[in-house]
Coordinates of all heavy atoms in Angstrom, one line a residue:
S1 N 0.8 -1.2 0.0 CA 0.0 0.0 0.0 C 0.9 1.2 0.0 O 1.0 2.0 1.0 CB -0.9 0.0 1.2 OG -1.8 -1.1 1.2
I2 N 1.5 1.5 -1.1 CA 2.5 2.6 -1.2 C 1.9 4.0 -1.4 O 2.6 5.0 -1.3 CB 3.5 2.3 -2.3 CG1 2.8 2.2 -3.7 CG2 4.3 1.0 -2.0 CD1 3.7 2.0 -4.9
F3 N 0.6 4.1 -1.8 CA 0.0 5.4 -2.0 C 0.1 6.2 -0.7 O -0.3 5.7 0.4 CB -1.4 5.2 -2.5 CG -2.1 6.5 -2.7 CD1 -1.9 7.3 -3.9 CD2 -2.9 7.1 -1.7 CE1 -2.5 8.5 -4.1 CE2 -3.6 8.3 -2.0 CZ -3.3 9.0 -3.1
G4 N 0.5 7.4 -0.8 CA 0.6 8.3 0.4 C 1.9 8.4 1.1 O 2.0 9.1 2.0
I5 N 2.9 7.6 0.6 CA 4.3 7.7 1.2 C 4.8 9.1 0.9 O 4.8 9.6 -0.2 CB 5.2 6.7 0.6 CG1 4.8 5.3 1.1 CG2 6.6 7.0 1.0 CD1 5.7 4.2 0.6
T6 N 5.3 9.8 2.0 CA 5.8 11.1 1.8 C 7.4 11.1 1.9 O 8.1 11.1 0.9 CB 5.2 12.0 2.9 OG1 5.4 11.5 4.2 CG2 3.8 12.2 2.6
D7 N 7.9 11.0 3.2 CA 9.3 11.0 3.4 C 9.9 9.5 3.4 O 9.2 8.6 3.8 CB 9.7 11.6 4.7 CG 9.3 13.1 4.8 OD1 9.0 13.7 3.7 OD2 9.4 13.7 5.9
M8 N 11.1 9.4 2.9 CA 11.9 8.2 3.0 C 13.2 8.5 3.6 O 13.7 9.6 3.4 CB 12.0 7.4 1.7 CG 10.6 7.1 1.1 SD 10.7 6.0 -0.4 CE 11.1 4.4 0.4
G9 N 13.9 7.5 4.2 CA 15.2 7.8 4.8 C 16.0 6.6 5.2 O 15.5 5.5 5.1
W10 N 17.2 6.9 5.7 CA 18.0 5.8 6.2 C 18.5 6.2 7.6 O 18.8 7.3 8.0 CB 19.3 5.7 5.3 CG 19.0 5.2 4.0 CD1 18.7 5.9 2.8 CD2 19.0 3.8 3.6 NE1 18.5 5.1 1.8 CE2 18.6 3.8 2.2 CE3 19.1 2.6 4.3 CZ2 18.5 2.6 1.5 CZ3 19.0 1.4 3.6 CH2 18.7 1.4 2.2
Y11 N 18.5 5.1 8.5 CA 18.9 5.2 9.9 C 20.0 4.1 10.1 O 20.1 3.2 9.3 CB 17.8 5.0 10.8 CG 16.8 6.1 10.9 CD1 15.9 6.4 9.8 CD2 16.6 7.0 12.0 CE1 15.0 7.4 9.8 CE2 15.7 8.0 12.0 CZ 14.9 8.2 10.9 OH 14.0 9.2 10.9
R12 N 20.8 4.3 11.1 CA 21.8 3.2 11.5 C 21.9 3.1 13.0 O 21.6 4.0 13.7 CB 23.1 3.6 10.9 CG 23.8 4.8 11.5 CD 25.1 5.2 10.7 NE 25.8 6.3 11.2 CZ 26.8 6.9 10.6 NH1 27.3 6.4 9.5 NH2 27.4 7.9 11.2
Q13 N 22.3 1.9 13.3 CA 22.4 1.5 14.7 C 23.7 0.6 14.9 O 23.8 -0.5 14.3 CB 21.2 0.8 15.3 CG 21.2 0.5 16.8 CD 19.9 0.1 17.3 OE1 19.1 -0.5 16.5 NE2 19.6 0.2 18.6
A14 N 24.6 1.1 15.7 CA 25.8 0.3 16.1 C 25.6 -0.3 17.4 O 24.8 0.1 18.2 CB 27.0 1.2 16.1
P15 N 26.3 -1.4 17.7 CA 26.1 -2.1 19.0 C 26.3 -1.1 20.2 O 27.3 -0.4 20.3 CB 27.2 -3.2 19.0 CG 27.4 -3.5 17.6 CD 27.3 -2.1 16.9
G16 N 25.4 -1.2 21.1 CA 25.4 -0.3 22.3 C 24.9 1.1 22.1 O 24.9 1.9 23.1
N17 N 24.5 1.5 20.9 CA 24.1 2.8 20.6 C 22.6 2.8 20.2 O 22.0 1.8 19.8 CB 24.9 3.4 19.4 CG 26.3 3.7 19.8 OD1 26.7 3.7 21.0 ND2 27.2 3.8 18.8
Q18 N 22.0 4.0 20.3 CA 20.6 4.1 19.8 C 20.6 4.3 18.3 O 21.6 4.6 17.7 CB 19.9 5.4 20.4 CG 19.7 5.3 21.9 CD 19.0 6.5 22.5 OE1 19.2 7.6 22.0 NE2 18.1 6.3 23.5
R19 N 19.4 3.9 17.7 CA 19.3 4.1 16.3 C 19.2 5.6 16.0 O 18.4 6.4 16.6 CB 18.0 3.4 15.8 CG 17.8 3.4 14.3 CD 16.6 2.6 13.9 NE 16.7 1.2 14.3 CZ 15.8 0.2 14.0 NH1 14.8 0.5 13.3 NH2 16.0 -1.0 14.4
G20 N 20.0 6.0 15.0 CA 20.1 7.5 14.7 C 19.9 7.7 13.2 O 20.1 6.9 12.4
L21 N 19.5 8.9 12.9 CA 19.2 9.4 11.6 C 20.5 9.6 10.8 O 21.4 10.1 11.2 CB 18.4 10.7 11.6 CG 18.1 11.4 10.2 CD1 17.2 10.6 9.4 CD2 17.6 12.8 10.5
V22 N 20.5 9.1 9.5 CA 21.6 9.3 8.6 C 21.2 10.3 7.5 O 21.9 11.3 7.3 CB 22.0 8.0 7.9 CG1 23.1 8.2 6.9 CG2 22.5 6.9 8.9
A23 N 20.1 10.1 6.9 CA 19.6 11.0 5.8 C 18.1 10.8 5.5 O 17.6 9.7 5.7 CB 20.4 10.8 4.5
T24 N 17.4 11.8 5.1 CA 16.0 11.7 4.7 C 15.8 12.5 3.4 O 16.6 13.4 3.0 CB 15.1 12.3 5.8 OG1 15.4 13.7 6.0 CG2 15.2 11.5 7.1
I25 N 14.8 12.1 2.7 CA 14.4 12.8 1.4 C 12.9 12.8 1.3 O 12.2 11.8 1.6 CB 15.1 12.1 0.2 CG1 14.8 12.9 -1.1 CG2 14.7 10.7 0.1 CD1 15.7 12.5 -2.2
T26 N 12.3 14.0 1.0 CA 10.9 14.1 0.8 C 10.5 13.7 -0.6 O 11.3 13.4 -1.5 CB 10.5 15.6 1.0 OG1 10.9 16.4 -0.1 CG2 11.0 16.1 2.3
S27 N 9.2 13.6 -0.8 CA 8.7 13.2 -2.1 C 9.0 14.2 -3.2 O 9.1 13.9 -4.4 CB 7.2 13.0 -2.1 OG 6.5 14.2 -1.7
G28 N 9.3 15.5 -2.8 CA 9.7 16.5 -3.7 C 11.2 16.6 -3.9 O 11.6 17.4 -4.7
G29 N 12.0 15.8 -3.2 CA 13.4 15.8 -3.4 C 14.2 16.6 -2.4 O 15.5 16.6 -2.6

């Protein structure tokens, strides 16, 4: 059900660390 997806992005998590934001991109670029 892909209709309505706005933002997409990448996160990363190393051992012992919280998951953190790497990069995001909107539907408009």
Side-chain angles (χ1 to χ4, degrees):
S1 301
I2 60 176
F3 180 81
I5 291 178
T6 53
D7 298 348
M8 301 186 76
W10 293 92
Y11 291 69
R12 66 187 181 186
Q13 186 169 22
N17 294 341
Q18 293 184 325
R19 187 174 300 183
L21 174 68
V22 176
T24 60
I25 184 168
T26 69
S27 59

